[in-house]
Amino acid sequence: MRATNGAGKNLGADRQAVEVPREWYNIVPDLPSPLPPAIDPVTRRPVDEAKLRRLFVGEVARHEFAGERFIPIPEEVRSVYSIWRPTPLVRALRLENALGTPAKIYYKNETVSPPGSHKANAAVPQAYFAKREGIRRLVGNTTAGQWGCALAFACSVFDVKSTIYMSRSSYDSKPYRRELAEAWGAEVIPSPSERTAVGRSALAKDPRDMGTLSLAVGESQEDAMGDPTARSAVGSVFNFVLANQTVMGQEAVAQIERLDEYPDSVIGCIGGGSNFSGLFWPFYHEVTAGKSLKEVEFIAAESTAAPRMTRGEYMYDHVDAAGRSSLTKMYSLGHTYVPPDIHSAGLRTHASAATLSLLVQHGVVRPVAYNQLDVFEAGTLFARTEGILPAPESAHAVKAVIDEAKKCKESGEEKVILFNLCGHGLLDIESYRAYLSREMTPGDAAPGAIERAVAEAKALHPWLQQTGA
Amino acid sequence: MRATNGAGKNLGADRQAVEVPREWYNIVPDLPSPLPPAIDPVTRRPVDEAKLRRLFVGEVARHEFAGERFIPIPEEVRSVYSIWRPTPLVRALRLENALGTPAKIYYKNETVSPPGSHKANAAVPQAYFAKREGIRRLVGNTTAGQWGCALAFACSVFDVKSTIYMSRSSYDSKPYRRELAEAWGAEVIPSPSERTAVGRSALAKDPRDMGTLSLAVGESQEDAMGDPTARSAVGSVFNFVLANQTVMGQEAVAQIERLDEYPDSVIGCIGGGSNFSGLFWPFYHEVTAGKSLKEVEFIAAESTAAPRMTRGEYMYDHVDAAGRSSLTKMYSLGHTYVPPDIHSAGLRTHASAATLSLLVQHGVVRPVAYNQLDVFEAGTLFARTEGILPAPESAHAVKAVIDEAKKCKESGEEKVILFNLCGHGLLDIESYRAYLSREMTPGDAAPGAIERAVAEAKALHPWLQQTGA
């Protein structure tokens, strides 16, 4: 089924005759080795679906443990997806010209979603299943605000209430994403707050506490667990979230094949791992199913402020900074590690998705890390050639793409490079101003900080690290 | 050629098998009566192409006087359009449900362009033709910032310098759009400035002058005219700008026919008139060419702060507030009329496009006017049902759509309503905050202000009003 599309080809774009996917793809049955289970640190036993159902919407918890390769997407979810999906697959002809590379660069443009990023792909099903199960309110947390906005948007469309705990520092300094969530009807609460025991305890210690991601996670979970009509909603790391995001990669497979192309490299930035996984999983499936036309390289771009995959250790660790969560086998910098305050809040985490970590461990995914000066240089070049201002997180992927394209210039290889432009930077414009006015620092990890936090995390649960899973 | 598209139909969206248009449509030869020419107030003679070529890029000036119905779009322009075009045509199923209307509501989603509005459709050709003609710099002016951002984006892609005069009040109070233009490499200058005689004169009178649109227009034109390597670039009102915008309507005709639908009503908001004209002209052409499947009603939504079409007079007037420009036959509120400071800066003008005015005069277009409280109520409902936050300007169209859909609820008519969602409000979120926190006033015109300004304008050039053109 390779219809040649003359017009689309000339213009370097294709979004024709591609439909909104009918299933989410679940990578778990195709992994090269079994996924180590998350462990409850109290019972020392694997976390099961029953435990997750107390926190998440039921159908969502079921998906987290799903063994099937394909999960049907309800028509109601597809209908909302179709507001902005399928998203354009665009050839970056002007970036290619600026680099003088023989490589062909394509990007999946996820900036066109109503909240401006791929996060909407995971928020919509959580809101839909909540509505279907009679859940009246979803509770989330956000730092940069991308997930908070996506959740507020999705809940608004399905008429579910949303409560967003936003760290006080973001709440005060980034009013635009907060006000956007409020325009969709969300209740946005600065964290720490008086609403929860976790918040009150923090405020008792320091009434001027500016909050952290960990605190916001703690408050949102306490709020959701304390209200039988509410559940928690999450925007990354979990298998079901990553599976939701495969609508991007499935569209991209169909779109790039219609252009008679196939990628040599698939690239994305990684925080929790949801945008990169959503793009590359379906290409990985092509490989494991023997349908891939090439040996595809998967490249994950992270920040040198939080270089889990390039400098962390593959071990069991808490996903939250406070060390209260269950333990996940993953590349971690140690849950006590605090990344420098870079402009890509979405990548500022010590933890990473279990599936992504396993694939890095197996050498299926190759990680690279960049400091934010190089990242904003790449993002600015992309904006000035292709016109779309990348979110600071997405600009990490752009930097990796430029590096690969430059290698092709040296080697003369005409590689096809595909990457995920997972969000726009219209509400992050202040960080571009800081870059352009030379007020920005590289934001690298402080010397010794990672080694200390990794050692601390490994020492915490010695019984677990020895399981060798 | 009416292929039924099952999938698209179910999902209420269609962007398949529609290509980026190959021609711009020029309405001038299809107007119900000849377009009265613009008049030079000094020579009292019609403005000709030679005069316009001193101000604008040559090819653009030629298009302003073009007699042909279709103007080819260069492939280089189509290639840049294809970054975001064709834009989605989406059925607003969730808004229909909220209203309980039997009407079917479709919107053309122009919010997906890199700068976030339809303005990019006109900026790209001006930048391309400038490059082709060896023009090194385009000079524009902006108040809300939409045109400034679109021009900065287009110039960046074609490697042409851009200079944007932005009124001091917007420059200081709306840093986001200014910083966005700067990220694309534009030089943004607060107006009044020391760069021009017009600016220096204003600053000599009042060093703290916060600027006006008129001042910014004056400065940008003086700057462009004084540099042989530069030209002026404009974002609305002129025929060539409106023709550039017909890529929207041409796509919409093809998309809605593929869904086996045809609009009863085509709706847009009007400032200068470019977004509404770009959508409705191709449907008007269907009517004049005898290809239309229905009798289509064209509805233009304006602000009660600047109600040109509903309360102005069809007469010759200056398009700039200072009364220095050529004179255009149009619906005007009088060039000395100063609209209240509403949140839709893009609609705050006394003037309107000559073509649109002629069509209102002939009864082809029906104007309606709304105050901003009603407009933001409509915009908020749209955001909470369909997910996309409309720019305040676009929310005027949403209000008109809701009114039409409510009429259908009363009458039981299953009308098909199509409107232009011409821009998103992500960088206007502060105005939604003002609305939601009840800090907003209706923003209606002050009693007597319009009547005074109309009388003043009519008295200024009595020789011209008598031509009866």
Side-chain angles (χ1 to χ4, degrees):
Chain A
M1 286 294 286
R2 303 248 162 152
T4 300
N5 176 344
K9 210 164 181 178
N10 288 340
L11 296 174
D14 188 277
R15 65 209 71 164
Q16 296 184 0
V18 170
E19 64 169 15
V20 177
R22 296 177 182 279
E23 297 168 316
W24 291 300
Y25 167 62
N26 173 24
I27 202 172
V28 173
D30 289 331
L31 288 172
S33 68
L35 193 64
I39 301 291
D40 183 325
V42 179
T43 64
R44 298 193 176 189
R45 294 181 58 81
V47 174
D48 61 9
E49 188 180 325
K51 178 163 181 182
L52 229 53
R53 291 177 86 94
R54 292 198 293 276
L55 191 57
F56 297 130
V57 172
E59 183 68 9
V60 159
R62 193 183 73 72
H63 292 175
E64 184 63 13
F65 295 93
E68 63 262 39
R69 200 167 268 121
F70 294 101
I71 299 166
I73 306 178
E75 278 305 295
E76 293 86 344
V77 171
R78 292 185 72 229
S79 175
V80 177
Y81 278 166
S82 78
I83 292 173
W84 74 98
R85 308 210 68 85
T87 62
L89 180 78
V90 185
R91 183 159 166 200
L93 284 166
R94 293 144 288 268
L95 177 60
E96 291 172 18
N97 289 343
L99 297 171
T101 179
K104 293 179 188 173
I105 301 171
Y106 288 91
Y107 60 93
K108 187 71 172 155
N109 182 6
E110 292 292 315
T111 72
V112 299
S113 83
S117 83
H118 71 291
K119 292 284 182 194
N121 300 324
V124 170
Q126 289 183 58
Y128 167 72
F129 289 125
K131 184 75 179 176
R132 204 175 73 175
E133 294 174 23
I135 301 298
R136 298 217 197 109
R137 187 167 66 96
L138 285 177
V139 189
N141 57 78
T142 200
T143 45
Q146 292 276 26
W147 174 243
C149 284
L151 186 60
F153 149 72
C155 285
S156 171
V157 168
F158 286 110
D159 200 19
V160 171
K161 284 184 187 166
S162 61
T163 305
I164 319 274
Y165 287 87
M166 189 178 210
S167 55
R168 168 64 78 178
S169 59
S170 295
Y171 186 92
D172 289 345
S173 70
K174 298 188 170 181
Y176 274 47
R177 286 224 172 83
R178 162 167 64 87
E179 287 167 7
L180 181 56
E182 287 170 346
W184 277 312
E187 183 185 26
V188 185
I189 299 172
S191 168
S193 77
E194 294 288 348
R195 287 275 190 105
T196 65
V198 169
R200 288 188 294 272
S201 154
L203 289 172
K205 278 185 208 144
D206 177 5
R208 298 166 70 184
D209 191 322
M210 292 305 280
T212 61
L213 175 59
S214 169
L215 249 172
V217 170
E219 289 205 85
S220 65
Q221 293 196 353
E222 181 184 331
D223 180 339
M225 299 281 272
D227 174 359
T229 71
R231 290 293 184 280
S232 184
V234 290
S236 194
V237 173
F238 285 85
N239 297 342
F240 67 85
V241 176
L242 277 50
N244 289 164
Q245 293 292 354
T246 61
V247 290
M248 302 187 291
Q250 292 179 69
E251 289 174 10
V253 167
Q255 287 170 316
I256 207 157
E257 288 193 351
R258 273 183 56 80
L259 292 167
D260 281 333
E261 298 277 19
Y262 207 84
D264 295 279
S265 309
V266 176
I267 296 174
C269 66
I270 51 166
S274 81
N275 95 71
F276 176 54
S277 299
L279 182 64
F280 94 85
W281 280 14
F283 287 96
Y284 174 85
H285 176 250
E286 292 253 301
V287 173
T288 59
K291 291 193 279 185
S292 170
L293 301 180
K294 288 180 179 174
E295 212 169 298
V296 190
E297 186 178 35
F298 302 114
I299 303 173
E302 62 185 6
S303 165
T304 53
R308 287 81 36 85
M309 301 297 182
T310 51
R311 293 188 55 200
E313 195 146 330
Y314 188 55
M315 62 179 182
Y316 268 103
D317 196 6
H318 296 282
V319 294
D320 70 328
R324 274 184 290 254
S325 79
S326 59
L327 294 147
T328 298
K329 181 108 181 198
M330 61 184 174
Y331 277 92
S332 174
L333 298 167
H335 63 272
T336 56
Y337 173 72
V338 180
D341 190 16
I342 56 168
H343 288 266
S344 300
L347 308 188
R348 273 188 83 232
T349 164
H350 74 280
S352 51
T355 50
L356 185 61
S357 295
L358 183 82
L359 290 164
V360 168
Q361 172 71 2
H362 278 275
V364 173
V365 170
R366 175 164 71 85
V368 289
Y370 300 109
N371 76 57
Q372 65 179 353
L373 290 180
D374 290 342
V375 161
F376 275 87
E377 184 185 14
T380 302
L381 177 63
F382 188 83
R384 292 187 178 180
T385 51
E386 291 297 316
I388 305 171
L389 192 80
E393 292 83 359
S394 311
H396 287 74
V398 176
K399 169 62 178 158
V401 167
I402 291 174
D403 277 8
E404 290 302 305
K406 283 183 175 169
K407 281 186 213 161
C408 290
K409 188 179 180 180
E410 284 167 28
S411 68
E413 285 175 288
E414 294 182 17
K415 278 191 180 175
V416 176
I417 301 169
L418 168 66
F419 80 97
N420 201 356
L421 188 67
C422 64
H424 65 62
L426 294 181
L427 300 181
D428 305 287
I429 186 67
E430 174 59 19
S431 57
Y432 278 89
R433 191 206 55 75
Y435 169 71
L436 292 169
S437 58
R438 300 173 187 277
E439 292 167 20
M440 191 178 276
T441 56
D444 294 321
I450 292 171
E451 292 73 8
R452 278 193 300 277
V454 166
E456 206 172 304
K458 281 175 82 168
L460 196 59
H461 303 290
W463 55 274
L464 191 55
Q465 306 304 346
Q466 287 152 15
T467 62
Chain B
M1 284 295 288
R2 306 249 159 146
T4 301
N5 176 346
K9 211 164 180 178
N10 287 340
L11 296 173
D14 187 279
R15 67 210 68 166
Q16 296 182 3
V18 170
E19 65 169 15
V20 177
R22 297 178 180 279
E23 297 167 317
W24 292 300
Y25 167 63
N26 173 24
I27 202 173
V28 173
D30 290 331
L31 288 173
S33 67
L35 193 64
I39 302 289
D40 183 326
V42 180
T43 65
R44 298 193 176 188
R45 294 182 57 82
V47 174
D48 60 8
E49 188 181 324
K51 178 164 182 182
L52 230 54
R53 290 178 85 96
R54 291 199 292 277
L55 191 57
F56 296 131
V57 171
E59 183 69 9
V60 160
R62 192 183 74 73
H63 292 175
E64 184 63 12
F65 295 93
E68 63 262 40
R69 199 167 267 121
F70 294 101
I71 298 166
I73 306 178
E75 278 305 295
E76 293 85 344
V77 171
R78 292 185 71 230
S79 175
V80 176
Y81 278 166
S82 78
I83 292 173
W84 74 97
R85 308 210 69 83
T87 62
L89 180 78
V90 186
R91 182 159 168 200
L93 285 165
R94 293 145 288 269
L95 176 61
E96 291 172 19
N97 289 343
L99 297 172
T101 179
K104 294 179 187 173
I105 301 171
Y106 288 91
Y107 60 94
K108 186 72 172 154
N109 180 7
E110 291 293 313
T111 72
V112 299
S113 84
S117 85
H118 72 290
K119 292 283 183 195
N121 299 325
V124 170
Q126 289 185 58
Y128 167 72
F129 289 125
K131 184 74 180 178
R132 204 174 73 173
E133 295 175 21
I135 301 298
R136 300 217 195 109
R137 186 165 67 94
L138 285 177
V139 188
N141 57 78
T142 202
T143 44
Q146 292 275 25
W147 175 243
C149 284
L151 185 60
F153 148 72
C155 285
S156 171
V157 169
F158 286 110
D159 200 19
V160 170
K161 284 184 187 164
S162 61
T163 305
I164 318 274
Y165 288 86
M166 188 177 212
S167 55
R168 168 64 79 179
S169 60
S170 296
Y171 185 92
D172 289 344
S173 70
K174 297 188 172 180
Y176 273 47
R177 286 222 173 86
R178 163 168 63 89
E179 288 167 7
L180 181 56
E182 287 171 345
W184 277 311
E187 183 185 27
V188 184
I189 299 173
S191 169
S193 77
E194 293 288 347
R195 287 276 190 106
T196 66
V198 169
R200 286 188 296 271
S201 155
L203 289 172
K205 278 184 211 147
D206 178 6
R208 298 166 70 184
D209 191 322
M210 293 305 279
T212 62
L213 175 59
S214 170
L215 249 173
V217 170
E219 288 206 85
S220 65
Q221 293 196 354
E222 181 185 331
D223 180 340
M225 300 280 273
D227 174 0
T229 71
R231 289 293 184 280
S232 185
V234 289
S236 194
V237 173
F238 285 85
N239 297 343
F240 67 85
V241 175
L242 277 49
N244 289 163
Q245 294 292 353
T246 61
V247 291
M248 303 186 291
Q250 292 180 67
E251 288 173 11
V253 167
Q255 287 170 317
I256 207 157
E257 288 193 351
R258 274 183 55 81
L259 291 166
D260 281 332
E261 297 277 20
Y262 207 84
D264 295 280
S265 309
V266 176
I267 296 175
C269 66
I270 52 165
S274 82
N275 95 72
F276 176 54
S277 298
L279 183 65
F280 94 85
W281 280 14
F283 286 95
Y284 174 85
H285 176 250
E286 293 251 302
V287 174
T288 60
K291 292 193 278 185
S292 170
L293 301 180
K294 289 181 180 173
E295 212 170 299
V296 189
E297 186 178 36
F298 303 114
I299 303 173
E302 61 184 7
S303 165
T304 52
R308 286 82 36 85
M309 302 297 183
T310 52
R311 294 188 54 200
E313 196 145 330
Y314 188 55
M315 62 180 182
Y316 268 103
D317 196 4
H318 295 282
V319 294
D320 69 328
R324 275 184 288 255
S325 78
S326 59
L327 294 147
T328 298
K329 181 107 182 197
M330 60 184 175
Y331 277 92
S332 174
L333 298 167
H335 63 273
T336 56
Y337 173 71
V338 180
D341 191 17
I342 56 168
H343 287 267
S344 300
L347 307 189
R348 272 188 85 233
T349 163
H350 73 281
S352 51
T355 49
L356 185 62
S357 294
L358 183 81
L359 290 163
V360 168
Q361 173 71 0
H362 278 275
V364 174
V365 169
R366 176 163 69 86
V368 289
Y370 301 109
N371 76 55
Q372 64 179 351
L373 290 179
D374 290 342
V375 162
F376 276 87
E377 184 185 16
T380 302
L381 177 62
F382 188 84
R384 292 186 179 180
T385 51
E386 290 297 315
I388 304 172
L389 192 80
E393 291 83 0
S394 311
H396 286 74
V398 176
K399 169 62 179 158
V401 167
I402 291 173
D403 277 7
E404 290 301 305
K406 283 183 175 168
K407 281 186 213 161
C408 290
K409 188 178 180 180
E410 284 167 29
S411 68
E413 286 176 288
E414 294 181 18
K415 279 193 180 174
V416 176
I417 300 168
L418 169 66
F419 79 98
N420 202 356
L421 188 67
C422 64
H424 64 61
L426 294 181
L427 300 182
D428 305 287
I429 186 67
E430 174 60 18
S431 57
Y432 278 88
R433 189 205 57 73
Y435 169 71
L436 292 169
S437 58
R438 299 171 188 278
E439 293 167 20
M440 192 177 276
T441 55
D444 293 321
I450 292 172
E451 292 74 8
R452 277 193 300 275
V454 164
E456 206 172 305
K458 281 174 84 169
L460 195 59
H461 304 289
W463 55 274
L464 191 54
Q465 306 304 345
Q466 286 153 15
T467 64

